[in-house]
Amino acid sequence: MQIIEFVLQVLLGITSLLLTLLILLHKGRGGGLSDMFGGGMTSALGSSGLAERNLNRFTVILALVWFAAIVALGLITKFQAI
């Protein structure tokens, strides 16, 4: 059981970092941190609708994996105490 817990903790760490990076890659909707890092400027690279849709899909899938890892770690912790 310790191996599964360790794998889930590593998965949680990796998905947390990737999720943070993917969220920062999204195109800004005006104002906020995206403008501070240059997101307010329009560029040819950031204006692709297909790239934005794929980024959204990948972010949602990664968020679901992150959520599943959280729930699995919580269940393991709960049932280990018994």
Side-chain angles (χ1 to χ4, degrees), residues 3 8-9 18 22-24 29 43 64 72 76 80:
I3 295 173
L8 285 173
Q9 287 176 353
L18 286 175
L22 286 177
I23 289 171
L24 288 175
R29 302 286 187 241
S43 70
L64 291 174
I76 287 173
Q80 273 183 349

Side-chain angles (χ1 to χ4, degrees), residues 27-49:
K27 185 168 45 171
R29 302 286 187 241
L33 287 176
S34 62
D35 284 344
M36 186 170 71
F37 293 115
M41 297 185 293
T42 58
S43 70
L45 294 175
S47 62
S48 173

